[in-house]
Amino acid sequence: MTALPTQRLESWRYTDLRALNAMSFAEAPAASLPDGLPDIGVPRLVFVNGRFDEAASSALPFARNFAAVDEVSDLPLARINAEHAHDGVTLEIPDGVDAGVVLLVSYANGGALHPRHRVSLGAGAALTLLEVVKGDGVYWHNPVTDIVLAQGASLAHYRLQDESQEAFHLATIRATVAADAAYESFTAVMGAKLSRAEFHVELTGAKAHTHLNAAQLLGGSQHGDFTSVVRHKAPDCSSRQTVKSVLCDSARGVFQGRIEVERVAQKTDGYQMSQALLLSPTAEMDIKPELQIYADDVKCSHGATIGALDEEQVFYLRSRGIPEDTARSMLIRAFLTEALEPVTHEGAHALFEAAIETWWARK
Amino acid sequence: MLEIKNLSARIGDKEILRGVTLSVPDGEIHAIMGPNGAGKSTLSYVLSGRDGYEVTGGEAIYNGQDILALTPEARAAAGIFLAFQYPVELPGVGNANFMRTALNAVKRARGEAELDAVAFLKLARAALKKLSMQDDMLKRNVNVGFSGGEKKRNEVLQMALLQPGLAILDETDSGLDIDALKIVAEGVNALRSETFSALVITHYQRLLDYIVPDKVHVLAAGKIVRSGGPELALELEARGYAGLEAA
Amino acid sequence: MSASIETRDTVEALAADKYKYGFTTDIAMEEFPKGLNEDIVRLISAKKNEPEWLLAWRLKAFTLWQKLEEPVWAHIKHPPIVYNELYYYAAPSGPAPKSLDEVDPELLNMYEKLGIPLSERAALAGVAVDAVFDSVSVATTFRETLAKSGVIFCPISEAVREHPELVRKYLGSVVPIGDNFFAALNSAVFSDGSFVYIPKGVRCPMELSTYFRINARNTGQFERTLIIAEEGASVSYLEGCTAPQRDENQLHAAVVELVALDDAKIKYSTVQNWYPGDADGKGGIYNFVTKRGACRGRNSKISWTQVETGSAITWKYPSCVLQGDGSVGEFYSVALTHNHQQADTGTKMIHIGKNTTSTIISKGISAGHSNNTYRGLVKILPQASGARNYTQCDSLLIGDQCGAHTVPYIESRNASAKVEHEATTSKIAEDQLFYCRSRGLSEEDAVGLIVNGFCKDVLKELPMEFAVEAQKLLAVSLEGSVG
């Protein structure tokens, strides 16, 4: 197996995989489907321990069988995935088809899982893909999702990472977005002992757009890393990377974002925003928002804030008679509500809200 | 009835209030005027309990209770309302949710029954109508993306809902055009009653054309240096604050 | 007079000669053999009659340097530097001058030409100057005036002899000898530089300034500056740098250490105008510099201001270690790159003490085929309750063949700390240019004006005398970038 990256690698400086390296994982065992997996009344595809569960899944006209992976990636985790992948879903939406909503559920309870998912949308096609990952116990989930959007296609990709609190979750999502196409994603990070969601999006045609959004809700000694690289390779494209983190206990949050603008990518509009709330004296947040720009007619900016709640706001609420505890929790909830704004599908929105509610109740 | 006796306060090492004495009987509206840096905003923050201001002496009694030891929310429950000079933006907090939470917290503290969402909405809509404001004010996030005038109107709306016994208006007129000024004034005038009093803090006389005060006090260098009737405001407007410290 | 007219005048005056400091000075020089080994280190130390402890210190640094590797993380490219092909010591030959009267007139002429008159009569009012030529300090002005208030301002080689207790206590205490490859190299072979000591409670009565000049061919310059401000002391220090126009690259690897004790204030300004190389990227200085200040005392303050327009490559991160409670660190930077220049510069603010605050304002301007990177670290340690940082870094691109990069690292481990960071990248807006031109400015003047406006927040931090100079420098450095 290709070695796991170490912190000497600049792109891994904030995430230490030694704990994962120290463990040895067999291939994930077969397991049966637990009760209570989400079902929001839309077509559903189910994976258990990395294997497609046909019985529990809906039949979809545009779903194809898994095909072997043939690539040697520069990204260590994608390379490891390529070496081990033997299952995954392939969704191919033909030109002009709006495929509605598909729910992809992954459940795991042991071993190492390296699923390879592929999503391609033809010209003008549309899809909302809602991914929910859950599990129990110790395991390593290392999924790679490759996305290709043809001209004018539109993919909304919502991910709820709610792995077991003992699990390792290292996801790689790569997308190429053609002219006038849009890739919108939202990731809620709540689970796993150590997790990283790594996005690589290339905007290859004029007026392509992407929005990579995340909310990290971490507690205990959880480590959550959101890393995103958007490469502008064509003019008039826009990109957004926005991450909100709420860190309790000794949790550690990481955001590494990069906007790369190639010489041809004039009129690029790029924006990164990272906001973190540290709710405990031992929480930690590390941010590296990077701009790499080779075109002159661009508008790129980033902003970052780390801190506790704004005391001005707390006082304003209290001056209206709201007790301090209520005021603080109102502000934290508001912070998270804002993070959920990009999730426009009602069913998906409700699912995320419920997950945040559960998380909040546990705190 | 608000009674401030010899109140002194500082920020860090800097003395701002140096013995303010003032009483505002029920049913009266008093204006506090004074030059920049006189301590006007400090007085309003000390009365409403904001952190960072250290009271070094004196007391402030409202309806027989010393309020200086109370938390900001307890003061709100006691009936004190501060209309902010710069209302704070609360991204992600809906205006309706905010006001209902506030109103119910105050009601709970007073041992009154809380309002459900429907009852609250009815109340809020009525208040909006009275103040010539749009219903969408309730759906927006608190003060986020509001114009200067809208923020001040939102303060007046909150005041109308919370029905305070004592309102402190901290330079509410700053940055307002005449129409917005009138709405603010109407909001305050509508609350006028034998059980309502107000401290109107302002730099200019303009607002006092619309909220006619019973008394005018001049605060300079942390002390009340002169008191008088509404005519004092006109005099200040004509002659400025120069020389007041000596008075 | 408005900045625009001044800018235009300067551009016109210098239109013929873009780098006006590119001349060489012909003077008899003493050079050590080429290459770097223990013997060269011993030779440098012997030449300066150094005490045993300092030689041992240098040798230790040399041993460490041999084990270290040249850093590769910066966004810069250059052919490998062959350290054994360089000269590590060059100085005007003959015994050291005891006073200005003994300084070679050729040298005095050179400094005149650079606009740095060394005779005290002609000197800039209120500015004391230490002039460092290749490896040695050739003159320090106003020493007696300063001595009256107890301020020590002298070449560091002299301080080693005259004030060994101070040098020994503080040298390497902020930048340890093995801190990084270039700092280790400097520690082994540093030749001269300035030493400043401001005693307790003293406000330094004049601006202090060091003027660095590289002249000799193939010679590295490794100056070392140490500034100590005792309790309640304050000082404003400025350094300027130029070098002749040569086809080969020259190495400059300096180390600057600042120490501020309780309530002390140090303001350190740099106008860096080393030879940047020609329009095709040939020649120019490799400027690999380690600058760090330690705010050791309560409520101490260190403020770095830099205007970087020169050098083929700039690799420089003036930093503040905020140890004392309530201490303050500031970094104000303008970095302008043109032609094939490369700059990777920024700062580190390490918050250790309670209620420490830092401010970072960085303005990067890229033109021609250059690459300009801001790289900065803000680190809040767990004990730094109430720490505050505000960072703003803005980049301006002129032309579509250059690059502008921003690489901030923000690490917070204290919930009561507040860190805010903003960055923007933009170009000069067409309507700004049009507005200026419709008022009669040439395009080049308009760019100079807008760039100066873009940098205003930084330029206003410079001592007055140098702010005007820096403004002119920006305009001149941008020449040929439009049209």
Side-chain angles (χ1 to χ4, degrees):
Chain A
M1 186 177 97
T2 298
L4 288 168
T6 69
Q7 286 180 284
R8 277 204 297 272
L9 209 62
E10 178 66 22
S11 56
W12 286 88
R13 69 181 275 144
Y14 291 122
T15 293
D16 183 354
L17 295 183
R18 277 178 300 183
L20 175 60
N21 213 14
M23 303 180 74
S24 65
F25 286 106
E27 194 179 307
S32 56
L33 195 63
D35 293 334
L37 286 184
D39 190 351
I40 57 166
V42 298
R44 190 172 81 155
L45 299 169
V46 178
F47 281 77
V48 177
N49 275 356
R51 290 181 184 81
F52 183 54
D53 185 333
E54 204 174 343
S57 301
S58 320
L60 284 175
F62 40 76
R64 305 272 172 274
N65 287 336
F66 172 77
V69 182
D70 179 22
E71 70 150 356
V72 182
S73 174
D74 290 341
L75 306 169
L77 273 303
R79 187 192 286 225
I80 293 168
N81 173 282
E83 288 163 5
H84 296 84
H86 55 69
D87 211 343
V89 65
T90 299
L91 297 175
E92 289 174 359
I93 316 296
D95 290 0
V97 172
D98 182 345
V101 185
V102 172
L103 173 63
L104 176 64
V105 180
S106 296
Y107 172 81
N109 64 4
L113 302 64
H114 302 275
R116 172 74 60 134
H117 303 304
R118 298 180 176 97
V119 180
S120 68
L121 271 64
L127 173 71
T128 295
L129 177 63
L130 172 59
E131 236 186 297
V132 178
V133 289
K134 284 183 164 300
D136 291 301
V138 185
Y139 55 92
W140 173 25
H141 193 185
N142 182 40
V144 172
T145 306
D146 286 323
I147 295 165
V148 178
L149 303 184
Q151 188 165 2
S154 153
L155 174 65
H157 187 191
Y158 306 131
R159 305 174 63 248
L160 174 58
Q161 192 270 87
D162 194 15
E163 303 272 26
S164 139
Q165 296 285 318
E166 297 159 85
F168 296 87
H169 174 95
L170 303 168
T172 307
I173 294 98
R174 296 179 294 195
T176 57
V177 185
D180 298 310
Y183 175 57
E184 300 265 353
S185 91
F186 173 76
T187 298
V189 179
M190 294 174 194
K193 168 185 175 156
L194 183 153
S195 74
R196 166 143 151 157
E198 184 172 336
F199 284 79
H200 295 264
V201 178
E202 298 205 332
L203 304 174
T204 58
K207 293 191 177 145
H209 169 76
T210 189
H211 191 163
L212 307 176
N213 231 288
Q216 306 194 91
L217 289 73
L218 303 172
S221 58
Q222 280 182 294
H223 177 106
D225 173 344
F226 187 81
T227 292
S228 59
V229 179
V230 176
R231 176 171 289 181
H232 287 255
K233 302 176 85 163
D236 299 306
C237 295
S238 57
S239 68
R240 300 280 178 271
Q241 294 157 287
T242 48
V243 177
K244 284 175 182 273
S245 308
V246 177
L247 305 170
C248 310
D249 310 323
S250 302
R252 184 174 177 199
V254 175
F255 168 58
Q256 305 187 97
R258 186 157 80 233
I259 302 176
E260 298 178 0
V261 179
E262 294 190 356
R263 202 136 271 158
V264 296
Q266 295 293 1
K267 307 274 180 202
T268 285
D269 179 359
Y271 177 70
Q272 297 168 318
M273 185 53 160
S274 165
Q275 292 167 286
L277 275 182
L278 268 53
L279 298 181
S280 132
T282 46
E284 175 174 353
M285 182 76 202
D286 301 312
I287 300 180
K288 187 184 168 203
E290 231 180 307
L291 304 174
Q292 210 179 81
I293 293 164
Y294 287 101
D296 64 337
D297 192 5
V298 301
K299 223 172 63 196
C300 286
S301 60
H302 62 226
T305 59
I306 306 177
L309 287 171
D310 183 348
E311 291 302 319
E312 281 283 301
Q313 296 182 340
V314 176
F315 173 67
Y316 190 68
L317 289 163
R318 293 176 73 190
S319 78
R320 297 296 176 260
I322 298 170
E324 188 171 355
D325 282 356
T326 316
R328 290 186 185 278
S329 76
M330 268 178 95
L331 290 171
I332 295 164
R333 294 300 305 272
F335 183 78
L336 292 170
T337 304
E338 276 201 308
L340 270 185
E341 263 167 27
V343 184
T344 46
H345 183 267
E346 244 176 73
H349 198 276
L351 193 75
F352 281 108
E353 254 189 348
I356 287 176
E357 198 66 51
T358 311
W359 181 82
W360 185 244
R362 274 206 311 257
K363 287 296 124 195
Chain B
M1 166 107 173
L2 173 69
E3 269 185 286
I4 303 171
K5 289 182 200 153
N6 208 19
L7 182 64
S8 297
R10 64 180 181 198
I11 307 172
D13 296 336
K14 207 172 158 205
E15 294 287 340
I16 311 281
L17 300 181
R18 301 158 186 270
V20 173
T21 299
L22 182 68
S23 71
V24 186
D26 285 350
E28 288 194 7
I29 291 183
H30 288 202
I32 295 196
M33 300 184 72
N36 289 327
K40 302 195 296 291
S41 285
T42 299
L43 179 62
S44 65
Y45 284 139
V46 167
L47 291 178
S48 53
R50 183 172 158 141
D51 270 354
Y53 298 83
E54 190 191 342
V55 175
T56 50
E59 52 186 11
I61 312 286
Y62 179 62
N63 289 346
Q65 185 181 20
D66 186 351
I67 57 170
L68 295 178
L70 300 180
T71 60
E73 57 267 35
R75 296 184 207 202
I80 298 174
F81 180 91
L82 171 66
F84 283 58
Q85 186 179 359
Y86 304 107
V88 179
E89 297 185 5
L90 304 174
V93 179
N95 221 3
N97 175 31
F98 163 64
M99 284 189 269
R100 189 161 76 96
T101 310
L103 185 59
N104 281 337
V106 168
K107 282 186 175 293
R108 203 160 48 237
R110 291 173 185 166
E112 295 169 17
E114 296 182 27
L115 291 181
D116 63 23
V118 178
F120 169 76
L121 219 54
K122 225 168 128 185
L123 193 73
R125 289 227 172 94
L128 279 164
K129 203 169 166 196
K130 225 170 163 181
L131 295 164
S132 332
M133 290 188 232
Q134 303 292 323
D135 278 7
D136 74 341
M137 195 92 157
L138 295 173
K139 290 186 196 134
R140 294 162 70 182
N141 287 341
V142 181
N143 295 329
V144 178
F146 282 32
S147 70
E150 282 176 328
K151 283 184 181 170
K152 298 293 167 71
R153 285 189 210 191
N154 201 22
E155 297 288 287
V156 172
L157 174 64
Q158 292 169 32
M159 183 168 75
L161 287 170
L162 292 172
Q163 295 276 322
L166 170 70
I168 303 163
L169 278 69
D170 185 8
E171 306 218 15
T172 300
D173 51 333
S174 68
L176 284 195
D177 61 27
I178 283 294
D179 291 339
L181 201 65
K182 281 183 182 164
I183 286 175
V184 169
E186 276 165 26
V188 176
N189 291 332
L191 288 172
R192 278 199 161 187
S193 75
E194 279 171 15
T195 54
F196 173 80
S197 57
L199 263 184
V200 179
I201 293 172
T202 180
H203 187 78
Y204 301 105
Q205 188 266 338
R206 202 173 62 144
L207 178 63
L208 305 181
D209 285 343
Y210 302 97
I211 306 175
V212 181
D214 297 291
K215 268 193 172 172
V216 174
H217 308 275
V218 180
L219 185 69
K223 275 187 171 162
I224 301 290
V225 293
R226 265 185 82 183
S227 298
E231 70 288 348
L232 179 55
L234 293 167
E235 186 192 326
L236 290 169
E237 187 77 0
R239 294 179 33 201
Y241 293 109
L244 278 173
E245 278 89 327
Chain C
M1 187 162 70
S2 74
S4 65
I5 298 170
E6 262 186 54
T7 303
R8 192 180 61 214
D9 289 352
T10 319
V11 171
E12 279 165 8
L14 294 161
D17 178 15
K18 290 190 174 139
Y19 187 72
K20 68 167 171 171
Y21 311 105
F23 58 86
T24 56
T25 306
D26 240 343
I27 190 167
M29 294 294 286
E30 180 188 5
E31 280 176 353
F32 285 180
K34 204 159 77 166
L36 183 53
N37 49 50
E38 237 187 74
D39 290 342
I40 291 286
V41 175
R42 286 178 190 280
L43 210 54
I44 293 171
S45 188
K47 181 78 201 164
K48 296 180 167 297
N49 294 322
E50 283 177 358
E52 196 55 39
W53 67 265
L54 190 51
L55 174 63
W57 193 83
R58 285 178 181 275
L59 290 171
K60 193 172 157 199
F62 179 69
T63 312
L64 275 167
W65 176 72
Q66 287 176 303
K67 288 184 199 140
L68 287 165
E69 279 170 30
E70 223 181 282
V72 293
W73 40 260
H75 195 105
I76 55 173
K77 270 186 236 155
H78 58 82
I81 300 168
V82 184
Y83 291 91
N84 268 329
E85 289 298 313
L86 293 177
Y87 292 92
Y88 288 83
Y89 186 85
S93 54
K98 293 197 171 52
S99 75
L100 269 182
D101 304 336
E102 291 177 24
V103 175
D104 188 323
E106 188 65 27
L107 270 177
L108 293 180
N109 278 342
M110 180 207 79
Y111 281 99
E112 286 278 355
K113 233 161 130 183
L114 293 170
I116 320 283
L118 293 180
S119 85
E120 293 190 3
R121 263 162 297 134
L124 287 169
V127 182
V129 178
D130 182 21
V132 177
F133 184 80
D134 290 330
S135 303
V136 292
S137 167
V138 292
T140 311
T141 64
F142 291 110
R143 291 173 64 167
E144 277 150 40
T145 316
L146 291 169
K148 279 183 200 141
S149 50
V151 171
I152 304 170
F153 180 39
C154 67
I156 199 160
S157 51
E158 185 183 317
V160 169
R161 294 190 301 270
E162 308 290 327
H163 311 282
E165 69 299 338
L166 286 173
V167 177
R168 206 168 173 175
K169 180 168 174 193
Y170 290 108
L171 188 74
S173 75
V174 184
V175 179
I177 52 177
D179 187 78
N180 68 69
F181 180 84
F182 295 111
L185 176 63
N186 174 287
S187 301
V189 302
F190 79 86
S191 38
D192 220 337
S194 300
F195 175 81
V196 176
Y197 176 80
I198 316 288
K200 190 170 167 178
V202 171
R203 219 188 142 95
C204 186
M206 57 208 314
E207 294 276 342
L208 303 185
S209 163
T210 300
Y211 196 85
F212 295 102
R213 173 75 178 172
I214 297 180
N215 187 61
R217 190 179 288 271
N218 282 333
T219 303
Q221 178 151 332
F222 305 96
E223 86 262 3
R224 183 108 197 170
T225 297
L226 176 59
I227 300 179
I228 301 144
E230 290 273 9
E231 210 178 305
S234 71
V235 62
S236 168
Y237 176 95
L238 183 124
E239 61 170 358
C241 339
T242 59
Q245 210 156 325
R246 294 192 191 279
D247 285 347
E248 67 272 18
N249 297 110
Q250 283 180 284
L251 178 64
H252 172 253
V255 171
V256 174
E257 296 178 280
L258 312 181
V259 178
L261 302 181
D262 283 2
D263 300 306
K265 289 187 175 58
I266 301 176
K267 183 177 176 66
Y268 191 107
S269 313
T270 303
V271 176
Q272 187 265 105
N273 188 24
W274 295 119
Y275 178 55
D278 67 11
D280 299 320
K282 196 161 192 199
I285 301 291
Y286 289 170
N287 190 33
F288 297 122
V289 172
T290 304
K291 293 185 168 178
R292 195 174 302 153
C295 282
R296 297 225 170 116
R298 291 166 54 96
N299 302 322
S300 54
K301 176 175 174 182
I302 289 179
S303 176
W304 298 98
T305 304
Q306 60 173 26
V307 176
E308 304 278 320
T309 59
S311 297
I313 299 177
T314 297
W315 179 100
K316 180 181 168 190
Y317 314 92
S319 305
C320 296
V321 182
L322 304 168
Q323 292 163 282
D325 289 351
S327 59
V328 177
E330 294 175 340
F331 176 73
Y332 298 97
S333 169
V334 169
L336 183 152
T337 54
H338 190 195
N339 295 323
H340 291 269
Q341 279 178 278
Q342 307 174 66
D344 193 299
T345 184
T347 184
K348 291 183 198 175
M349 293 289 174
I350 314 293
H351 291 256
I352 300 169
K354 290 185 179 39
N355 300 316
T356 47
T357 56
S358 63
T359 305
I360 300 171
I361 309 285
S362 162
K363 306 280 177 178
I365 302 126
S366 327
H369 293 84
S370 69
N371 269 299
N372 197 325
T373 303
Y374 166 81
R375 187 183 302 277
L377 168 71
V378 174
K379 190 173 189 135
I380 313 279
L381 294 175
Q383 63 270 41
S385 299
R388 290 279 177 277
N389 163 266
Y390 175 73
T391 300
Q392 185 176 348
C393 43
D394 299 319
S395 308
L396 192 66
L397 290 116
I398 301 175
D400 58 3
Q401 298 298 310
C402 51
H405 318 298
T406 313
V407 192
Y409 300 80
I410 306 160
E411 305 174 6
S412 180
R413 299 176 62 191
N414 187 298
S416 69
K418 193 166 174 183
V419 182
E420 283 178 274
H421 175 102
E422 290 173 42
T424 63
T425 300
S426 55
K427 68 166 195 167
I428 295 177
E430 292 299 334
D431 56 349
Q432 291 175 318
L433 271 181
F434 175 71
Y435 187 78
C436 295
R437 295 174 75 185
S438 74
R439 297 290 178 267
L441 275 80
S442 72
E443 190 169 6
E444 206 146 75
D445 285 358
V447 169
L449 192 71
I450 294 165
V451 166
N452 269 309
F454 176 74
C455 300
K456 202 174 124 210
D457 290 347
V458 174
L459 297 179
K460 72 176 169 44
E461 295 296 323
L462 284 173
M464 251 255 277
E465 304 87 314
F466 301 99
V468 178
E469 191 65 28
Q471 270 189 22
K472 289 182 192 168
L473 198 55
L474 289 176
V476 174
S477 307
L478 275 173
E479 215 179 295
S481 62
V482 289

